[in-house]
Amino acid sequence: MTQTDKPNHVHVPHDGRVARRHARVCFFLSALFAASLAPLAIADAADAEALLKEGKKLVTEKKYDEACPKIAEAYKLSPSPATLLDLALCHEKQGKLATAWGEMLDAEADARKAGRADVEARARANSKAIEPKLPRVTVSVAANTPGIEIAIDGQKIDLGALGKGRPVDPGEHKIVATAPGRKPWETTLSLKPSERKSVMVPALAEDGSAASTPSDKPAGGDTGATGQPAGTTPTSETKTDGGAAAPGDTKPKDKPEEPDDGKGPIHRAKRLVVDVGAFGGAQLFLGGGSVDALSSLTYEYRITYPLGGEAAEYKACDASACYATVDPAIGVPVGGQVFVGYALSEKMHLGGRFFGSYLVTGGYSLLVGPALSVRVNDRLWVGGTVVVGFGGQNATINGARGAVPSEWAALNGGDEVELLLSRTIPEENETGFGFSFGAAAEVSYTLAEFGKGKSLTTGSLVASAWPTFLKTWDGFAIALPVGVGYRFH
């Protein structure tokens, strides 16, 4: 056998053996690493439990500013849906409603994934309870500026969310709008629980300091930001987007107009409010009152002479001595109302209201008094007016009574006597209320809103009802006027 025919005794390990050996090494290292981390995980869980327990104790003591950070740290060390819900409840008590609401939604989703039905149900119930209390701010823009960015308290908002109510925590918030080559714009507003406000970002003015400066290149080489040769001054003809004058423009800058998007005005405080409207309805009159036709009657009552003996005393009827009693009467008032007041806040208007109506069935009513109107939500207003006034209403006369002087009241069985009606007295006549007083409630619903709080025509078209109860001199009146009006604010 030649040398080349000798078998090769060099041994090469099988690939399967190498793989198994590597797997055993990796498993050993993984187990060693996990074992080294186990004490750390146990320590974190213990610290989290201690922090959570301390935080809950502070919550019961109403020390929310100290409690919430401890619960937050507990959640960071050992995340769980239950701890996140505890943190949300702490933030709710702290007054951070939007923060709490978002955490409740996250806790609900995490609990659903973890199979914690009890935590999921609690988180859902709490989030639904807190949602109506959330303040919301709606941000809109007056002009579509390229590259515009809007942030609330430093947090950028999605431009797709413009025009939609964004939940925020109660308190003061700073809104900033920026865009390349434009001057930044900012405003600050304060919101209370359940309050809604709108902010219109105006067209951003061009930032003159960002314009290109003259260059050392030959004239006619480059052009500046205005489209003119570099080194030249823009003419007064050059305008920027939005109507603002370019640098060097001596003409006054036009202020951008805020478009009317039909979503309603900004209800500003500390300004005059005027509400004018027309109404119709129904009015029920019970009791009695003065009737001019009774002045043709005389009536008698008994008196005694100083020396003894009784006699009849006759007296002519007048408005102070006689009044008619009438059957219940229903009238149909048609008229108007005017409210003139002052906006103490975005939700509260205080002033005076006047009601005037003519009854197409015969009669009239004039009432006036102090009024308060409160906005319950975006569309509903409620309030009331304490009213005084006078009026009259046609009614069927069923009798009449005359006054008896107090010294003869015992002799006549009371301070009034019944009159015999003459044929000259009409069966139906206008019965005067005389002095009347009472109250009118207000329930108004906003049908549409116009303007943005800057023009005189800014206001709301409202449908209103004013249930009214009156105590007249000798009876009662109940009215229900219903109508529409325009509230300038």
Side-chain angles (χ1 to χ4, degrees):
M1 180 182 292
T2 64
Q3 189 174 359
T4 56
D5 295 330
K6 292 181 179 180
N8 188 358
H9 294 286
V10 178
H11 180 69
V12 179
H14 192 272
D15 288 347
R17 293 180 182 178
V18 175
R20 285 194 294 272
R21 186 178 302 164
H22 286 173
R24 284 195 295 270
V25 171
C26 291
F27 176 78
F28 174 76
L29 292 176
S30 299
L32 182 63
F33 181 71
S36 66
L37 290 181
L40 296 177
I42 294 172
D44 284 348
D47 290 344
E49 183 65 26
L51 285 168
L52 182 60
K53 184 176 180 180
E54 187 177 354
K56 287 183 175 181
K57 181 176 180 294
L58 290 170
V59 168
T60 61
E61 297 172 358
K62 298 184 179 181
K63 298 179 180 178
Y64 308 122
D65 292 341
E66 300 176 37
C68 295
K70 291 186 180 296
I71 301 176
E73 184 64 23
Y75 178 72
K76 182 178 180 181
L77 291 174
S78 181
S80 74
T83 304
L84 183 56
L85 180 56
D86 288 332
L87 179 59
L89 295 174
C90 183
H91 281 147
E92 180 185 4
K93 295 180 184 298
Q94 195 179 18
K96 297 180 178 180
L97 301 181
T99 300
W101 183 65
E103 291 167 343
M104 289 172 184
L105 295 180
D106 290 342
E108 180 185 350
D110 292 348
R112 187 181 303 112
K113 293 177 182 177
R116 292 291 305 275
D118 56 334
V119 178
E120 180 185 355
R122 285 180 56 215
R124 185 186 305 112
N126 281 279
S127 66
K128 288 183 178 179
I130 203 176
E131 188 170 3
K133 305 175 187 177
L134 294 175
R136 294 179 185 269
V137 59
T138 301
V139 180
S140 304
V141 294
N144 186 15
T145 305
I148 191 170
E149 292 184 347
I150 301 173
I152 300 180
D153 299 328
Q155 182 179 0
K156 292 181 182 179
I157 63 175
D158 184 3
L159 296 183
L162 294 177
K164 301 177 182 178
R166 179 185 180 88
V168 293
D169 290 330
E172 194 169 273
H173 298 275
K174 185 177 182 180
I175 300 175
V176 178
T178 57
R182 304 280 176 156
K183 293 182 179 180
W185 175 90
E186 66 179 54
T187 189
T188 302
L189 73 164
S190 181
L191 291 98
K192 299 175 184 178
S194 303
E195 190 171 15
R196 296 171 181 261
K197 287 187 177 180
S198 298
V199 173
M200 175 64 72
V201 178
L204 302 183
E206 185 168 333
D207 188 355
S209 62
S212 61
T213 57
S215 68
D216 294 331
K217 293 183 179 181
D222 283 345
T223 59
T226 60
Q228 296 183 342
T232 64
T233 303
T235 66
S236 60
E237 300 293 330
T238 306
K239 296 286 183 177
T240 64
D241 293 340
D249 190 358
T250 59
K251 292 184 179 181
K253 298 179 180 181
D254 296 329
K255 190 173 183 180
E257 291 292 330
E258 293 185 0
D260 185 355
D261 57 7
K263 295 181 179 178
I266 300 171
H267 294 263
R268 289 192 171 93
K270 299 181 180 179
R271 61 186 300 169
L272 181 67
V273 178
V274 178
D275 186 347
V276 181
F279 62 76
Q283 180 169 294
L284 174 65
F285 176 52
L286 305 169
S290 62
V291 176
D292 291 341
L294 295 181
S295 60
S296 62
L297 298 180
T298 59
Y299 68 97
E300 67 175 76
Y301 53 87
R302 306 298 294 175
I303 63 172
T304 58
Y305 291 118
L307 298 179
E310 294 184 6
E313 181 77 6
Y314 293 91
K315 185 173 182 179
C317 277
D318 57 33
S320 64
C322 297
Y323 73 94
T325 57
V326 299
D327 293 336
I330 296 179
V332 180
V334 176
Q337 63 83 29
V338 177
F339 171 85
V340 179
Y342 185 74
L344 300 178
S345 70
E346 294 90 346
K347 292 185 176 182
M348 184 177 296
H349 298 165
L350 179 65
R353 193 181 299 275
F354 168 79
F355 296 95
S357 64
Y358 166 75
L359 276 68
V360 296
T361 51
Y364 69 99
S365 178
L366 299 173
L367 302 170
V368 66
L372 177 68
S373 188
V374 177
R375 182 159 61 101
V376 177
N377 55 40
D378 285 350
R379 292 189 175 273
L380 183 64
W381 292 79
V382 298
T385 306
V386 178
V387 294
V388 295
F390 54 90
Q393 183 171 337
N394 267 21
T396 301
I397 301 172
N398 59 28
R401 301 188 70 82
V404 175
S406 58
E407 62 266 32
W408 312 121
L411 183 61
N412 290 273
D415 56 4
E416 294 177 345
V417 294
E418 189 170 351
L419 278 67
L420 294 176
L421 294 180
S422 168
R423 292 182 180 180
T424 60
I425 304 300
E427 182 178 350
E428 184 175 300
N429 206 310
E430 183 179 299
T431 306
F433 293 170
F435 174 77
S436 306
F437 64 93
E442 177 203 357
V443 180
S444 297
Y445 185 80
T446 303
L447 301 175
E449 294 188 321
F450 305 92
K452 289 297 173 185
K454 295 185 177 181
S455 66
L456 292 177
T457 57
T458 294
S460 308
L461 179 66
V462 294
S464 303
W466 298 275
T468 305
F469 177 83
L470 292 176
K471 175 64 180 78
T472 68
W473 193 258
D474 295 298
F476 300 91
I478 302 172
L480 182 60
V482 178
V484 294
Y486 195 85
R487 180 171 297 190
F488 297 88
H489 54 77

